[in-house]
Amino acid sequence: MRSLLLIGTGLVGGSFAKAAKTGAVFDRIVGVDLDRDALDRALELGIVDEAADTWAGDCDAVCVAVPVGAIADHVRDAAARCAGPVFDVGSVKGPVVDALEPVPPNFVPCHPVAGSERQGPTEARADLFDGRAVVMTPVAETDDGALNAVRGYWEAVGARVVVQTPASHDECFALVSHLPHLVAFAFMDAAARAGPLDHAGNGFRDFVRIAGADVEVWTDILHANASRIRPRLDELQETLDHFRTAMDEGGEALRRRIASAVQAKRSFDEADH
């Protein structure tokens, strides 16, 4: 009987547990979570088979699904106790790897590019990873056996595995994930203070959807990857200044700015499909 220790029973960790049971990757899943209500709910929903307050005996693998700032401590403890693979699901990789020096050979850093602004085990879905990318960022110390085993876990739950270095991962996601969340948080904060939002339509709702994300998770992500987000934020502020100037000028200058952005969006959509 293959067993998994799941540390953190929220959306991503819970979804992996559900998918892993559906795909017969693991037969028994033990959950650990500082949020006792979340852990109890995961047990009620059958996401985990057993709830534990601390480390729960022998296991074949460990999934660490906690906010970025807490990953390294959990990985260090798990890697010392479990001979099998230990992997995480954090959205920032470099700071975790740096905090672990030396990196345990059985640790495989991972980032499933799947999720939602929704939170908690109630939102967990077995199909969350179907066709979605999972970025693995092994380092020199990473054991090939652990790497191949974790790759197999993700492929068994429907994901496609992509390999990057921790640095290239963090640079990429500063632009395509972390900056958009930062902008959504800032815009929602400004909009809420500016006045009533009674007449907000679908465009507003679409734009601010991700501003409903998990506070603890995103506090850690934005702080951990701040050095890579800041240059992207500077670029965005410069671009906003160009739009401000074009808006004042109107006419062709503004049309060119908008047309360039619309074409970039359409090209992205075509490449994405």
Side-chain angles (χ1 to χ4, degrees), residues 59-250:
C59 59
D60 295 295
V62 180
C63 175
V64 178
V66 299
V68 168
I71 290 174
D73 285 343
H74 283 293
V75 166
R76 190 178 295 108
D77 185 45
R81 293 170 179 257
C82 178
V86 176
F87 61 102
D88 75 318
V89 297
S91 296
V92 183
K93 306 279 57 134
V96 173
V97 169
D98 291 345
L100 282 168
E101 286 296 341
V103 177
N106 59 336
F107 173 53
V108 182
C110 297
H111 173 205
V113 189
S116 157
E117 76 282 5
R118 298 179 183 274
Q119 305 160 26
T122 304
E123 302 297 334
R125 295 170 20 215
D127 65 350
L128 185 67
F129 309 108
D130 285 357
R132 305 303 296 270
V134 171
V135 183
M136 298 172 61
T137 63
V139 295
E141 297 91 337
T142 306
D143 177 75
D144 286 342
L147 182 66
N148 291 334
V150 175
R151 177 191 291 271
Y153 302 157
W154 287 117
E155 291 177 345
V157 301
R160 54 185 179 85
V161 173
V162 178
V163 177
Q164 288 185 274
T165 65
S168 65
H169 168 278
D170 291 353
E171 185 69 33
C172 172
F173 283 90
L175 175 63
V176 302
S177 177
H178 305 163
L179 180 61
H181 277 82
L182 176 62
V183 171
F185 294 140
F187 178 79
M188 191 68 237
D189 181 58
R193 286 185 286 104
L197 305 176
D198 299 349
H199 301 298
N202 288 339
F204 181 93
R205 295 176 192 282
D206 289 346
F207 187 78
V208 301
R209 177 183 61 79
I210 57 176
D214 187 286
V215 174
E216 300 305 322
V217 167
W218 280 96
T219 298
D220 277 8
I221 290 171
L222 295 179
H223 175 67
N225 208 28
S227 64
R228 298 187 185 276
I229 299 169
R230 273 193 231 100
R232 298 300 190 180
L233 181 58
D234 292 342
E235 292 168 1
L236 175 61
Q237 289 176 325
E238 182 179 353
T239 301
L240 286 172
D241 287 340
H242 291 320
F243 267 89
R244 180 199 293 270
T245 300
M247 185 172 62
D248 291 340
E249 294 174 357

